[in-house]
Amino acid sequence: MSIAPPPKTVLLTGGLGYIGSHTALALHEAGWRVVLLDNLANASRAVLGRLEAITGAPFPFYEADVRDRAAVEAVLKGEGVQAVVHFAGAKAVGESSADPLSYFDNNVGGAVALLQAMAAANVRQFVFSSSATVYGTPKYLPYDEAHPTAAINPYGRTKLHIEEILQDLAASDDRWRIAALRYFNPVGAHDSGLIGDDPNGIPNNLMPYVMRVAAGQLEVLSVFGTDYDTKDGTGVRDYIHVVDLAEGHVAALEALQPGRALGESPFEVVNLGSGVGHSVLELVKAFERASNRPVPWKAAPRRAGDLPEYFAEPSKAKALLKWEAKRSLEAMCASSWAFQSRQAEG
Ligand code: NAD
Ligand code: UDP
């Protein structure tokens, strides 16, 4: 009889947030022991109870700030952490232009403090939440990882600076194994309907706005730009189901292990997208079908800073991580609607 090895322990910073909470479930399902850390700046403690309700398992949770190096080091050592997935950070583009210093402090300062704590605790497997925003204005599409980078707002610059820091760190000490995952547009929710994207106030992003219009909580969707040079004049993005994205993190962590594709490479950037672009109106129509509700919309001026169209070249993820996005736009809309309906029921 062979004895199974003990599960590996992974720390998720920002683990109660939208993508972190879905990734916690996927990693738990894949056999990892998952420890969560969050300062609750943009998350509710209630998410912890929901993760436990879904899995029937407890998740060790620390309310702490990633900039608190001593606190993070204590968690890493105390929990016997072997790898970190770093979601914690602020992500509102408009806010980052209004208050860039707080974005550099939280995002860049947070990453540096976390990496210092990791080095002190001798933990050197790191997966970072980067973003397709680092590509800037497309020189060609789809964006592959070799596309030049040029962030166009302070939020994007924080992601680019952190990627550069990670590259320098990996070059300085070949014990590090680092994957920077460039996400496209995550939407959708877990099948349970218990966790999902639930921003405070009026949503900035398309899917949460559409969900609230369909539920009658907001009157009408403003479609920002109907005269772009795209298939129907509206903006085109690569929407990726958050559960696919969560599984991409499992694949990345596994690929960082010795003997696996990223195990020999100290630093890699990898796109996590579907490779398919959908317009705003395609998403609205898919949502109407999935919810069986109307989504009234009106044409509105282009939103400052928006690009007309972009989508991923996803083949590097397929080759290195053995991962690809599987879930359809319909599934993204149906799960978003199930989450919205469940929230309304309280
Ligand atoms: P989110 O706001 O739901 O999650 C981030 C979590 O980090 C929150 O729970 C927040 O409370 C926590 N946090 C923030 N600052 C912290 C700090 N200093 N210390 C500890 N915890 C802190 O956002 P999300 O959509 O889940 O995004 C996760 C990551 O993915 C972010 O880094 C974001 O920039 C990146 N990303 C998101 C998207 C997207 O569209 N959602 C796209 C590309 C990249
Ligand atoms: N969008 C829109 N109305 C909204 C929110 C977004 O028309 O209320 C459009 C936006 O112009 C872009 C797409 O929807 O073309 C996705 O925007 P989102 O903010 O969700 O993500 P982004 O790609 O900007 O990160």
Side-chain angles (χ1 to χ4, degrees):
M1 198 178 76
S2 66
I3 298 171
K8 292 205 179 88
T9 299
V10 58
L11 175 70
L12 308 192
T13 71
L16 294 188
Y18 173 47
I19 304 171
S21 58
H22 287 83
T23 304
L25 292 178
L27 284 164
H28 173 81
E29 220 168 274
W32 287 78
R33 183 174 167 272
V34 179
V35 176
L36 305 171
L37 181 146
D38 202 299
N39 69 355
L40 303 181
N42 194 37
S44 154
R45 192 181 274 276
V47 171
L48 186 61
R50 298 193 190 143
L51 294 178
E52 294 179 351
I54 293 166
T55 59
F59 286 80
F61 170 63
Y62 295 86
E63 183 178 343
D65 196 297
V66 283
R67 289 165 291 185
D68 184 346
R69 195 172 124 189
V72 175
E73 191 181 325
V75 172
L76 293 168
K77 288 179 172 164
E79 292 285 353
V81 169
Q82 283 136 311
V84 174
V85 186
H86 181 41
F87 299 101
K91 61 169 183 177
V93 169
E95 194 179 65
S96 79
S97 299
D99 189 2
L101 289 181
S102 84
Y103 270 66
F104 287 109
D105 178 28
N106 197 24
N107 292 6
V108 182
V112 171
L114 172 63
L115 292 161
Q116 286 174 322
M118 287 178 65
N122 207 17
V123 180
R124 289 189 179 79
Q125 292 183 3
F126 191 70
V127 175
F128 172 58
S129 296
S130 190
S131 168
T133 190
V134 300
Y135 292 119
T137 306
K139 302 255 187 283
Y140 57 83
L141 285 171
Y143 288 135
D144 58 23
E145 289 82 354
H147 187 284
T149 52
I152 52 179
N153 54 59
Y155 165 71
R157 265 186 287 284
T158 68
K159 294 293 178 193
L160 213 43
H161 288 334
I162 295 166
E163 285 196 4
E164 288 164 354
I165 290 167
L166 294 173
Q167 195 161 12
D168 285 343
L169 181 63
S172 74
D173 179 340
D174 67 6
R175 289 174 297 174
W176 285 93
R177 291 291 175 272
I178 299 173
L181 305 179
R182 293 176 174 165
Y183 310 159
F184 282 69
N185 284 55
V187 295
H190 186 256
D191 276 344
S192 63
L194 286 177
I195 57 169
D197 194 7
D198 188 19
N200 293 328
I202 310 256
N204 291 314
N205 295 116
L206 179 63
M207 183 65 97
Y209 204 106
V210 167
M211 286 155 64
R212 290 180 195 188
V213 171
Q217 295 171 5
L218 291 169
E219 215 169 292
V220 59
L221 171 73
S222 294
V223 174
F224 298 143
T226 51
D227 58 352
Y228 284 119
D229 183 17
T230 58
K231 51 182 129 184
D232 60 16
T234 67
V236 168
R237 295 288 181 274
D238 183 333
Y239 296 97
I240 173 169
H241 197 303
V242 68
V243 176
D244 277 331
L245 189 64
E247 291 170 1
H249 291 77
V250 178
L253 267 179
E254 288 174 357
L256 285 179
Q257 303 309 309
R260 298 288 311 277
L262 301 183
E264 302 314 312
S265 167
F267 177 74
E268 288 288 344
V269 295
V270 184
N271 285 341
L272 293 187
S274 73
V276 179
H278 289 292
S279 72
V280 174
L281 292 182
E282 283 175 342
L283 186 144
V284 166
K285 292 204 176 74
F287 200 94
E288 290 185 322
R289 285 195 297 275
S291 64
N292 209 19
R293 296 277 185 115
V295 178
W297 63 272
K298 63 175 188 202
R302 295 179 179 190
R303 185 170 64 178
D306 267 358
L307 294 167
E309 173 165 33
Y310 62 84
F311 46 96
E313 164 53 68
S315 55
K316 186 171 177 185
K318 192 170 177 184
L320 286 186
L321 311 185
K322 310 278 176 247
W323 169 92
E324 62 187 317
K326 295 190 291 243
R327 294 166 176 85
S328 64
L329 186 64
E330 278 64 30
M332 300 178 213
C333 293
S335 62
S336 299
W337 179 241
F339 173 65
Q340 173 70 38
S341 309
R342 192 95 194 230
Q343 294 283 99
E345 288 162 13

